[in-house]
Amino acid sequence: MIVDFLADYYHNIENYSVLSQVDPGYLQKNLPSYAPFGSESIEIILQDIKRHIIPGITHWQSPNFFAFFPSSGSTAGFMGEMLSTGLNTVGFNWLSSPAATELETMVMDWLGQELRLPKEFLFTGHGGGVIDRMLNLIGRDNIGKLVVYGSDQTHCAVQKAAHIAGFDPNNFRAIKTSRSSSFSLLPQSLLKTIQKDLHSGLVPCYLCATVGTTSTTAIDPVGALCHVAKNYGMWIHVDAAYAGSACICPEFRHLIDGVEDADSFSLNAHKWFLTNLDCCCLWVKDPNSLIKSLSTNPSYLHNNASESKQVVDYKDWQITLSRRFRALKVWLVLRSYGISNLRNFLRSHVEMAKSFEELVKLDKRFEIVVPRNLAMVCFRVIPSVAHGGDANEINRKLLDSMNESGRVYMSHAMVDGMFIIRCAIGATLTQQEHVIIAWKIVQEHANTILNKTAISA
Amino acid sequence: MIVDFLADYYHNIENYSVLSQVDPGYLQKNLPSYAPFGSESIEIILQDIKRHIIPGITHWQSPNFFAFFPSSGSTAGFMGEMLSTGLNTVGFNWLSSPAATELETMVMDWLGQELRLPKEFLFTGHGGGVIDRMLNLIGRDNIGKLVVYGSDQTHCAVQKAAHIAGFDPNNFRAIKTSRSSSFSLLPQSLLKTIQKDLHSGLVPCYLCATVGTTSTTAIDPVGALCHVAKNYGMWIHVDAAYAGSACICPEFRHLIDGVEDADSFSLNAHKWFLTNLDCCCLWVKDPNSLIKSLSTNPSYLHNNASESKQVVDYKDWQITLSRRFRALKVWLVLRSYGISNLRNFLRSHVEMAKSFEELVKLDKRFEIVVPRNLAMVCFRVIPSVAHGGDANEINRKLLDSMNESGRVYMSHAMVDGMFIIRCAIGATLTQQEHVIIAWKIVQEHANTILNKTAISA
């Protein structure tokens, strides 16, 4: 029944408004305030889902979803989740389910090989905890001196993580980027910032270089940044949450050139690798520094396998103890598609983005804000077309109007004071025809809004 | 095909060794070292799962699984996961999928009501970030003075979290408990420890009281501990990860009496509430203190709904940005079972544990180490029966021997120098007959081991 329900959902997905149009509090009005005392049938529950949940869903799997970075699910990813949920093992250490640990190790190596990560990142080579390492050097009382570096385009998660980890919020450097260098972090800006901090008696600790930023898919130059940072003994992380998946294609692999000098590298398989939410893949050169910081060893988990040091206990690589069997999903995706089809899938999105970019370029009212990387196009109505109106306000109106139509969902970013519209292509069901229609929808709404502006001006 | 595969798995689950008996590295030997270039059929993949993954699984869903705390999955929980995986929404803020946020709010209220949590914990009432609150008072440079309190039975996750959050590892107080008070944290011990710290110029910051510890299901006296701690402006968290579920039964609700004076309360629905991994439910009285510490506000997530302050953006309640639609699972469990059947399910486990406890008591070679709480029995071969051998060694041998038989899986704990065997009843499929056979297995292995010991002695 659930499979049929989901099959119908996908069959009808284009009939729904991509961005949900419900008002805050809509659900409370439609469902009871208390849990039922007796049991209810699945038929009744599915009716409620159809009637009350689906209208409140923003349809991330719609082919007309172009917002944020899409979350590309797949039947293979879904089957992997079903298996993982059905087996329902708790894989905190090797013993608690050896297959969960060993399949994860293997799948991470499979994927690492396809990304051509240096051998030090793989288990078959010799493959964290930077704060502890630093504090051992400089003394725990000096935690307030540690500095984290990124750019003003670095994902907000890094600043949040630094805050949670006890760094002084004043010691997070969001180094300014600009449109002239496509919002990538310049090595000379990093160097200058580090030198200033050293001069103030602070201690450089961590650098996050981003390959494919959220706002504009900017590519920080990994090699050159590592070249600067490694002189200071900092931990260097390469965040390729979105763009990393594309690096299994030889023609895109250069985006992470220099990763051999980094300490860790991550990508989100749930973004652009057909693996249903959630699945973040992290490679580290020296897992021992992670383990030293994150291991726990309560007596009730003691076991011979762990003591033999022949096994990985993933609980010591992460924050939580409990752990789902996520490797199954990635394994099913890799096997069901095969590297060849996965590459073609990624390439097809890049091609669609190229064609969208060409369409934008043909309309003189619009500009491409930064050269396109991969499958995301950043564009806006150019200020001169705003007829003296505020260009940001016009673009915001245009985006809101498109999204409220329910026919597409794109999102925005503010960079260097500009409100830009992001068209991120990556939903599994998106085809060339959806992209062409999406551009027509942009133009239709622009026609209305720009005419209105012209009249009111 | 996957549903059939899982149905067969459950049908045959008692044929497998509960604790996997594979050797480290077994999987690498059986699977290729590289991802396939072309696609493979699901039939082939399922064959590999049957042949190579299942033997490496420790069968947490087996009715003969009595280790750790069981992870009780259910068909309802499974269906909820399927729906969540199929819809595959990313619910970081309200707008990104209103139904995900609103259903979670509703389900948390439903469950909170059944637990008779005070209104301040519910959304329909007026419902973190303790470190920031404290550091604003005493200055960020004094982070090294903050102290976290728990007992030597508190879950290792609390100490790990304190370490990750930047607390000085020397400032984690694992206050000693003893068998005489069933390993619960005594209010007078807490008071003495706090006073000593104050005398040393330290600042009490956080107390974790546990209702149902991992080693022995000890119940810290929540009310009396709150009474001590609240004089010092500390954040008080009640960790009822395991035992919390039982509190929907009126006869067990007293276990969390006093929770009205705590700041936060949590339980793991994936432990004993039929909700497949993972699902942790957290209630907080003052979500604003969480939000103040954990919120991020990048321009690309700005939207009218968030700015209206009429909606919850759960990204600001947690560490990660991405978020699965977990509420569906809990909703399906609550509705499919209904409160009445859920209570009966929990009670049936408690009754089975009672009967296991009675069986242990009838065998004079064994003792119950601490009075049973809920559905976990802590027992051991008594030292005098060890014939001069080391009682801990004998009990360890007994446990290993049982677990290696593959017929049951129990786990151990070390408390007050004693190696104890834990029989935790809670797997969804466990019936009275499994408990009786489990005890017979204990006795059979004890016969062999104790005879051997007698001979060698």
Side-chain angles (χ1 to χ4, degrees), chain A residues 10 25 40 86 102 277 324, chain B residues 10 25 86 102 277 318 324 335:
Chain A
Y10 277 90
E40 295 183 273
E102 298 206 6
L277 192 70
R324 286 168 61 84
Chain B
Y10 278 89
E102 298 207 6
L277 193 69
Q318 63 176 21
R324 285 168 62 82
R335 294 189 65 180

Side-chain angles (χ1 to χ4, degrees), chain B residues 35-55:
Chain B
F37 190 71
S39 69
E40 294 184 273
S41 73
I42 186 68
E43 287 87 349
I44 295 284
I45 299 174
L46 281 176
Q47 264 177 34
D48 274 352
I49 291 179
K50 207 165 176 178
R51 204 173 300 160
H52 303 305
I53 302 295
I54 298 296

Side-chain angles (χ1 to χ4, degrees), chain B residues 157-440:
Chain B
V158 177
Q159 187 162 5
K160 181 166 170 174
H163 184 184
I164 292 170
F167 286 91
D168 188 325
N170 296 319
N171 290 350
F172 183 85
R173 305 280 170 263
I175 300 169
K176 206 173 148 29
T177 61
S178 68
R179 190 177 179 183
S180 61
S181 48
S182 289
F183 302 106
S184 73
L185 174 55
L186 298 177
Q188 58 269 38
S189 308
L190 173 66
L191 181 61
K192 236 190 270 172
T193 313
I194 290 176
Q195 284 173 338
K196 205 177 146 205
D197 285 329
L198 287 172
H199 196 256
S200 314
L202 298 175
V203 181
C205 176
Y206 180 96
L207 166 69
C208 177
T210 308
V211 176
T213 61
T214 310
S215 290
T216 64
T217 333
I219 310 285
D220 291 343
V222 174
L225 291 171
C226 287
H227 189 75
V228 170
K230 70 181 181 178
N231 295 324
Y232 304 96
M234 298 159 74
W235 184 280
I236 307 169
H237 177 66
V238 177
D239 168 11
Y242 162 69
S245 299
C247 296
I248 66 162
C249 302
E251 69 272 31
F252 300 128
R253 171 57 175 75
H254 67 93
L255 296 175
I256 56 169
D257 277 358
V259 69
E260 57 275 13
D261 288 325
D263 296 281
S264 53
F265 173 81
S266 63
L267 66 81
N268 285 350
H270 62 245
K271 280 204 165 69
W272 201 17
F273 208 71
L274 295 152
T275 308
N276 296 48
L277 193 69
D278 50 356
C279 186
C280 176
C281 302
L282 169 73
W283 290 263
V284 280
K285 264 189 191 165
D286 176 18
N288 282 325
S289 43
L290 264 187
I291 293 165
K292 263 186 224 158
S293 282
L294 298 178
S295 77
T296 51
N297 195 17
S299 66
Y300 51 84
L301 294 182
H302 287 186
N303 67 84
N304 294 334
S306 296
E307 273 145 42
S308 77
K309 308 268 175 204
Q310 287 189 298
V311 298
V312 174
D313 289 332
Y314 277 120
K315 71 180 176 59
D316 297 336
W317 292 50
Q318 63 176 21
I319 295 180
T320 59
L321 178 62
S322 291
R323 204 156 201 281
R324 285 168 62 82
F325 192 171
R326 289 188 182 80
L328 272 172
K329 296 196 270 200
V330 188
W331 193 48
L332 259 81
V333 167
L334 283 165
R335 294 189 65 180
S336 289
Y337 283 86
I339 295 299
S340 159
N341 294 313
L342 287 167
R343 285 181 182 162
N344 291 339
F345 168 80
L346 295 158
R347 284 166 180 151
S348 75
H349 287 160
V350 175
E351 286 306 313
M352 286 184 241
K354 246 186 222 170
S355 70
F356 187 88
E357 184 185 31
E358 292 309 317
L359 290 169
V360 177
K361 281 182 182 166
L362 289 175
D363 187 328
K364 294 302 167 206
R365 301 171 298 176
F366 289 88
E367 69 170 347
I368 299 291
V369 177
V370 284
R372 179 190 49 79
N373 287 315
L374 301 168
M376 211 258 280
V377 179
C378 296
F379 65 99
R380 63 168 187 160
V381 173
I382 54 178
S384 61
V385 177
H387 303 295
D390 177 343
N392 285 354
E393 208 39 54
I394 294 288
N395 280 291
R396 183 191 305 272
K397 264 189 199 158
L398 170 58
L399 180 65
D400 284 350
S401 154
M402 276 155 46
N403 289 345
E404 280 161 20
S405 80
R407 295 168 66 202
V408 290
Y409 184 25
M410 296 185 192
S411 60
H412 73 281
M414 287 291 297
V415 283
D416 223 0
M418 288 178 291
F419 183 99
I420 62 172
I421 302 177
R422 301 164 70 265
C423 177
I425 291 158
T428 311
L429 299 175
T430 303
Q431 301 285 337
Q432 180 69 13
E433 68 197 71
H434 298 105
V435 171
I436 290 168
I437 293 172
W439 175 245
K440 280 200 185 132

Side-chain angles (χ1 to χ4, degrees), chain A residues 29-96:
Chain A
K29 290 177 200 143
N30 288 303
L31 293 174
S33 322
Y34 285 88
F37 191 70
S39 69
E40 295 183 273
S41 74
I42 186 70
E43 287 87 349
I44 295 283
I45 299 174
L46 281 176
Q47 264 178 34
D48 275 352
I49 291 180
K50 206 165 176 177
R51 203 173 302 159
H52 302 305
I53 302 296
I54 298 296
I57 294 281
T58 290
H59 302 279
W60 284 69
Q61 301 312 306
S62 164
N64 303 312
F65 185 99
F66 302 102
F68 310 112
F69 287 124
S71 174
S72 64
S74 67
T75 305
F78 178 77
M79 292 191 299
E81 265 291 352
M82 277 177 84
L83 286 165
S84 154
T85 306
L87 299 172
N88 206 30
T89 62
V90 185
F92 41 75
N93 58 11
W94 180 86
L95 190 69
S96 69

Side-chain angles (χ1 to χ4, degrees), chain A residues 2-3 5-6 9-10 20 22-27 31-40 42 44-45 48-49 53-54 56-58 60-61 68 71 73 78-79 81-83 85-90 92 94-99 102-103 106 110 113 132 140 143 155-156 160 163-165 167-169 214-215 270 276-278 293-294 296 298-302 311 315 318-319 321-325 331 334-341 343 412 414, chain B residues 2-3 5-6 9-10 20 22-27 31-40 42 44-45 48-49 53-54 56-58 60-61 68 71 73 78-79 81-83 85-90 92 94-99 102-103 106 110 113 132 140 143 155-156 160 163-165 167-169 214-215 270 276-278 293-294 296 298-302 311 315 318-319 321-325 331 334-341 343 412 414:
Chain A
I2 301 276
V3 170
F5 179 89
L6 287 171
Y9 169 72
Y10 277 90
S20 172
V22 298
D23 289 321
Y26 90 99
L27 193 62
L31 293 174
S33 322
Y34 285 88
F37 191 70
S39 69
E40 295 183 273
I42 186 70
I44 295 283
I45 299 174
D48 275 352
I49 291 180
I53 302 296
I54 298 296
I57 294 281
T58 290
W60 284 69
Q61 301 312 306
F68 310 112
S71 174
F78 178 77
M79 292 191 299
E81 265 291 352
M82 277 177 84
L83 286 165
T85 306
L87 299 172
N88 206 30
T89 62
V90 185
F92 41 75
W94 180 86
L95 190 69
S96 69
S97 235
E102 298 206 6
L103 190 68
M106 196 194 73
W110 277 15
Q113 283 156 357
D132 287 313
R140 181 155 283 277
I143 187 170
H155 196 278
C156 60
K160 180 165 170 174
H163 184 184
I164 292 170
F167 286 91
D168 188 324
T214 310
S215 291
H270 61 246
N276 297 49
L277 192 70
D278 50 355
S293 282
L294 298 178
T296 51
S299 65
Y300 51 84
L301 294 181
H302 287 185
V311 298
K315 71 179 177 59
Q318 63 175 22
I319 295 181
L321 178 62
S322 291
R323 206 157 199 282
R324 286 168 61 84
F325 192 171
W331 193 47
L334 282 165
R335 294 188 65 179
S336 289
Y337 283 86
I339 295 300
S340 158
N341 294 313
R343 285 181 183 163
H412 73 280
M414 287 291 296
Chain B
I2 302 277
V3 169
F5 180 88
L6 287 171
Y9 169 72
Y10 278 89
S20 172
V22 299
D23 290 322
Y26 89 99
L27 193 62
L31 293 174
S33 322
Y34 286 87
F37 190 71
S39 69
E40 294 184 273
I42 186 68
I44 295 284
I45 299 174
D48 274 352
I49 291 179
I53 302 295
I54 298 296
I57 294 281
T58 291
W60 284 69
Q61 301 311 307
F68 311 111
S71 174
F78 178 77
M79 293 190 298
E81 265 292 352
M82 277 177 84
L83 286 166
T85 305
L87 298 173
N88 206 31
T89 61
V90 185
F92 40 75
W94 180 85
L95 190 69
S96 69
S97 233
E102 298 207 6
L103 190 69
M106 197 195 73
W110 277 16
Q113 283 156 357
D132 286 312
R140 182 156 282 278
I143 187 170
H155 197 278
C156 59
K160 181 166 170 174
H163 184 184
I164 292 170
F167 286 91
D168 188 325
T214 310
S215 290
H270 62 245
N276 296 48
L277 193 69
D278 50 356
S293 282
L294 298 178
T296 51
S299 66
Y300 51 84
L301 294 182
H302 287 186
V311 298
K315 71 180 176 59
Q318 63 176 21
I319 295 180
L321 178 62
S322 291
R323 204 156 201 281
R324 285 168 62 82
F325 192 171
W331 193 48
L334 283 165
R335 294 189 65 180
S336 289
Y337 283 86
I339 295 299
S340 159
N341 294 313
R343 285 181 182 162
H412 73 281
M414 287 291 297

Side-chain angles (χ1 to χ4, degrees), chain A residues 301-320:
Chain A
L301 294 181
H302 287 185
N303 67 84
N304 294 335
S306 296
E307 274 144 42
S308 77
K309 309 268 175 203
Q310 288 189 296
V311 298
V312 175
D313 289 332
Y314 277 120
K315 71 179 177 59
D316 298 336
W317 292 50
Q318 63 175 22
I319 295 181
T320 59

